[in-house]
Amino acid sequence: MENNFGYYLFALAAIIVAFLVVKKVASCMIKSVVILIVIAVLVAIYYLYIMQ
């Protein structure tokens, strides 16, 4: 249980940082691409580390 908590914390931090960067810097199309990349990374982390 303690290991999963670290991954959830990392995912939450990644989402917050990505949202702040995208909000301040990018246009609409770049926002979509960055959000899709963040979602893909979070899904990969979930399947590689949590679903073992």
Side-chain angles (χ1 to χ4, degrees):
M1 185 72 174
E2 294 155 4
N3 292 337
N4 291 345
F5 182 72
Y7 294 118
Y8 292 132
L9 233 119
F10 172 75
L12 181 62
I15 290 171
I16 291 171
V17 169
F19 176 75
L20 292 174
V21 168
V22 168
K23 184 178 175 184
K24 292 187 182 264
V25 176
S27 69
C28 186
M29 190 62 160
I30 296 174
K31 285 182 187 179
S32 299
V33 171
V34 170
I35 290 172
L36 288 174
I37 291 171
V38 169
I39 290 172
V41 168
L42 293 176
V43 168
I45 289 171
Y46 179 77
Y47 281 110
L48 291 175
Y49 295 105
I50 297 174
M51 294 296 292
Q52 289 184 350

